[in-house]
């Protein structure tokens, strides 16, 4: 099946319209007619070559919402007409300890990313900036009723990437959580941590988005450009989720953790980060990383969002505005996720 898409032809080159081949619907496959695809900063890192060479042309997009158009003979959990989501992962071995434990993203054979990855049949996966996608049914999520499909698209990456560490590190009543960077991931981290009952602080470069941050559920908001922020908040937080797409001063943020606190990096900058081990030793602190979440946990997150009325704050764009949107994301001028209306690709 030949479908319309938007692809980056080479590293650092603007995206342009193209057509790509989607595989025939296999026995355990679902054909999704895409309605919306969010723009994640990871799409930008990938097509700019921040994370090394890629199998160009690359069709990015791993925040996909659409409607099931066809199912294979063995598919029981999804039916034609269902509204579904596809996130960052479209396959994994299913057999290793991590897959069996619901941590498919850490599959020992390597999970198959939604784009710029190698599918089981050896082809290169292509993502959601497209009209249709064929995905193994086990990696397709159910979108709960009552959730706006455009605002739900970013949950498939930004939502689960922040939900998973918030849950793992116990965000909830009595916990002080800071979110660094109020972009796509950050604004959902604020909504989620607040819905979990934690006391939430935003650490942003400036106070420009303070009003938004408080409206999204933060209890306080501080500018990291102000050195006083780091003296005022020293030793305060149980958990800091760093969503920044660039290098940060790790020691400065570790100094904001209480004893036994954890700084969890979900931001994935191209540059290496360094730290003084005394920043950890001095407070039995943890510096950790976290990558998306498993399939069952992603479903749990979608259900949690439906229950708490959580969606992303979005700006819906046509496919031909994608390059402009990338520039605005790079300039931290996104409020708070761009979502491509896939009907503009038809
Ligand atoms: P985004 O919308 O661009 O948000 C990043 C935010 O970081 C910006 O809005 C800005 O917030 C802050 N920031 C940007 N440049 C900065 C700088 N030089 N210094 C300090 N702060 C800066 O990006 P996103 O889509 O949320 O993604 C964020 C990062 O997470 C990316 O690196 C992405 O690849 C990564 N990611 C990781 C996973 C995972 O599984 N771990 C999944 C998805 C994305 P303020 O304006 O508030 O300062
Ligand atoms: Zn992403």
């Amino acid at each position: 099946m030949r479908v319309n898409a938007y692809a980056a032809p080479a590293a650092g080159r603007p995206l342009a319209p193209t057509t790509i081949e989607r595989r025939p619907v296999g026995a355990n496959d679902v054909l999704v007619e895409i309605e919306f695809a969010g723009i994640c900063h990871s799409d930008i890192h990938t097509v700019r070559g921040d994370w090394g060479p890629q199998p160009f042309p690359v069709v990015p997009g791993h925040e996909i919402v659409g409607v099931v158009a066809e199912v294979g003979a063995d598919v029981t959990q999804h039916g034609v007409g269902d509204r579904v989501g596809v996130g960052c992962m479209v396959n994994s071995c299913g057999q290793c300890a991590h897959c069996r434990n619901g941590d498919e993203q850490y599959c020992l054979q390597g999970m198959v990313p939604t784009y710029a990855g190698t599918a089981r049949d050896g082809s290169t996966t292509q993502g959601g900036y497209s009209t249709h996608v064929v995905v193994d049914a086990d990696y397709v999520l159910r979108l709960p009723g009552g959730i706006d499909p455009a605002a739900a698209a970013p949950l498939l990456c930004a939502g689960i990437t922040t939900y998973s560490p918030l849950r793992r590190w116990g965000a909830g009543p009595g916990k002080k959580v800071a979110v660094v960077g109020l972009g796509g991931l950050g604004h959902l981290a604020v909504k989620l941590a607040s819905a979990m009952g934690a006391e939430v602080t935003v650490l942003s470069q400036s106070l420009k988005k303070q009003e938004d941050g408080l409206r999204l559920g933060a209890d306080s908001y501080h500018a990291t450009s102000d050195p006083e922020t780091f003296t005022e908040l020293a030793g305060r937080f149980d958990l800091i989720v760093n969503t920044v797409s660039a290098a940060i001063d790790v020691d400065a943020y570790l100094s904001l953790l209480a004893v036994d606190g954890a700084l969890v990096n979900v931001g994935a900058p191209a540059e290496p980060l360094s730290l003084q081990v005394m920043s950890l030793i001095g407070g039995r602190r943890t510096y950790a990383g976290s990558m998306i979440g498993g399939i069952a946990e992603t479903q749990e997150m979608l259900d949690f969002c439906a229950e708490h009325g959580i969606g992303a704050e979005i700006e819906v764009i046509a496919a031909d505005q994608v390059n402009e949107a990338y520039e605005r994301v790079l300039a931290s001028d996104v409020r708070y996720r761009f979502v491509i209306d896939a009907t503009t690709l038809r």
Side-chain angles (χ1 to χ4, degrees), residues 41-42 45 157 182 184-185 204-205 209 243 266 268 290 292 337:
H41 206 119
S42 300
H45 285 307
C157 171
L182 195 69
L185 267 58
S204 179
Q205 292 168 94
K209 298 178 273 191
T243 74
V266 291
S290 184
I292 51 171
R337 201 59 145 184

